[in-house]
Amino acid sequence: MDFGVVLQTNPPASRTVQLATLAEAHGFSHVWTFDSHLLWQEPYVIYSAILAATRRVTVGPFVTNPATRDWTVTASVFATLNEMYGNRTICGIGRGDSAVRVTGGKPTTLKELRESIHVIRELANSRPVEYNGATLQFPWSRGSSLDVWVAAYGPLALKLAGEVGDGFILQLADVDIAAWMIQTVKDAAAGAGRDPESLQFCVAAPMYIGTDIAHMRDQCRWFGGMVGNHVADIVAKYGPSTGSGSAVPQALTDYIAGRTGYDYNSHGQASNDHVDFVPDEIVDRFCVLGTAEEHIGKLEQLRALGVTQFAGYLQHDNKEETLRVYGETVIPALSPHITAKA
């Protein structure tokens, strides 16, 4: 299992770069960031600084969307960073949440998402692509390599992830829900004639190492609110879950019944005061909290489901200590054990 860290690009940018270098020092393979240009600083500028300050981590958005930038611009950024720093980028993409809603927009259609993935991936892999009635290609790009991982929750988005994604991003760490969603993506991949095992499966959730469960829950309750935005879209489309025959698991939809609104000004922040509707049970199920041993136990369950990367959100008051314990205890416990002499 690989390990990533998910950061917000809060000012100063030097702090984001510092946390990224610390994550690399503790054995994390990926550094992801939010991509919401009004709420936080522009991530692609900061990626260049992170890549310059590190030697091996892969960086990318968690997640971008097809609406806020022209697809060819997005591809050009990745191809440029790859030329500068040696193919150390990755693209997480979804229909859009805070980046589009804050500006008065709405998530894109799945058709637009599918088309954008194709255009971005082809151009950022130094290949030509048909776009707006013309064949386009970066004449300066040689040997660029970019994987595109699709973030999804709803049935049709999961199907798209399996059909066209290089990987699938699930932003919650509930073991039962992850099992259902991963299998749904694998089935879609097989149905499209793809090898399901060729996809990467990334589960992302707040990770907090500690012993004060009440404090950890309060620091991470924001995550249930963020996930609730996407769940609300699903409920609006499919209706609330009513049992085993529903389009989505009942465990995913029941908790938003008390949701009355959402303030994007506190999106993704531990201080979010619009998430009282999120019960402790959901925080525990969606996040990875507790001692190192408790983290290892839950991550082992996720790995058994086929999860190839755990990406931990680091929006709380214990960032450095959590990274340290992961580097010294959690990551080694979930890495292959090789002996010098058999």
Side-chain angles (χ1 to χ4, degrees), residues 34 41 44 66 72 78 84 88 115 145 168 177 190 218-219 232 265 291 293 298 316 328:
F34 285 57
Q41 293 179 319
Y44 292 96
T72 64
F78 284 115
M84 294 174 67
R88 290 167 55 202
E115 292 172 350
S145 178
F168 163 54
I177 295 173
D218 286 344
Q219 286 283 300
N265 288 309
T291 64
E293 291 71 25
K298 187 165 189 176
H316 54 65
E328 293 182 1

Side-chain angles (χ1 to χ4, degrees), residues 1-6 28 30 32 62 149 169-170 202-207 288 299 307 309-314:
M1 179 183 280
D2 290 331
F3 288 85
V5 62
V6 186
F28 288 81
H30 289 68
W32 306 88
F62 212 86
W149 293 9
I169 293 172
L170 172 57
C202 176
V203 160
M207 57 178 182
V288 184
L299 294 175
V307 172
Q309 181 179 148
F310 171 66
Y313 286 90
L314 211 60

Side-chain angles (χ1 to χ4, degrees), residues 21 51 53 58 61 72 78 82 87 90 94 118 155 158 163 169 172 178-179 194 197 203 220 236 261 275 290 325 328:
T21 58
L51 289 165
T58 298
T72 64
F78 284 115
N82 283 341
N87 287 335
I90 189 167
H118 177 66
L158 293 170
E163 290 174 346
I169 293 172
L172 57 83
R194 308 178 71 197
E197 302 307 318
V203 160
C220 298
V275 293
V325 176
E328 293 182 1

Side-chain angles (χ1 to χ4, degrees), residues 300-312:
E300 284 179 335
Q301 292 182 67
L302 291 168
R303 181 172 64 176
L305 298 177
V307 172
T308 57
Q309 181 179 148
F310 171 66

Side-chain angles (χ1 to χ4, degrees), residues 77-266:
V77 171
F78 284 115
T80 301
L81 290 173
N82 283 341
E83 189 277 328
M84 294 174 67
Y85 300 107
N87 287 335
R88 290 167 55 202
T89 66
I90 189 167
C91 179
I93 193 168
R95 295 175 58 221
D97 183 27
S98 62
V100 294
R101 297 187 200 268
V102 171
T103 58
K106 60 182 181 179
T108 64
T109 66
L110 289 175
K111 180 177 183 293
E112 291 171 312
L113 178 58
R114 183 186 296 268
E115 292 172 350
S116 72
I117 291 168
H118 177 66
V119 170
I120 292 168
R121 181 163 48 204
E122 293 307 293
L123 287 175
N125 279 279
S126 303
R127 297 190 292 259
V129 71
E130 295 298 314
Y131 182 70
N132 286 345
T135 301
L136 305 181
Q137 187 171 6
F138 298 137
W140 44 265
S141 179
R142 299 286 188 278
S144 177
S145 178
L146 180 76
D147 282 350
V148 181
W149 293 9
V150 182
Y153 290 104
L156 293 179
L158 293 170
K159 182 173 183 290
L160 182 149
E163 290 174 346
V164 303
D166 297 306
F168 163 54
I169 293 172
L170 172 57
Q171 295 174 82
L172 57 83
D174 182 278
V175 175
D176 294 334
I177 295 173
W180 177 82
M181 291 193 172
I182 289 171
Q183 191 58 54
T184 300
V185 172
K186 286 186 175 183
D187 290 345
R194 308 178 71 197
D195 177 7
E197 302 307 318
S198 68
L199 276 66
Q200 299 296 305
F201 292 90
C202 176
V203 160
M207 57 178 182
Y208 195 124
I209 295 286
T211 57
D212 186 342
I213 186 61
H215 179 73
M216 289 187 288
R217 285 169 175 162
D218 286 344
Q219 286 283 300
C220 298
R221 199 175 304 276
W222 63 267
F223 185 67
M226 186 185 80
V227 173
N229 295 328
H230 301 285
V231 175
D233 287 342
I234 295 170
V235 171
K237 182 176 179 64
Y238 296 98
S241 299
T242 56
S244 60
S246 300
V248 292
Q250 191 165 352
L252 183 61
T253 63
D254 280 357
Y255 82 97
I256 69 162
R259 181 179 184 267
T260 58
Y262 191 81
D263 183 3
Y264 277 95
N265 288 309
S266 54

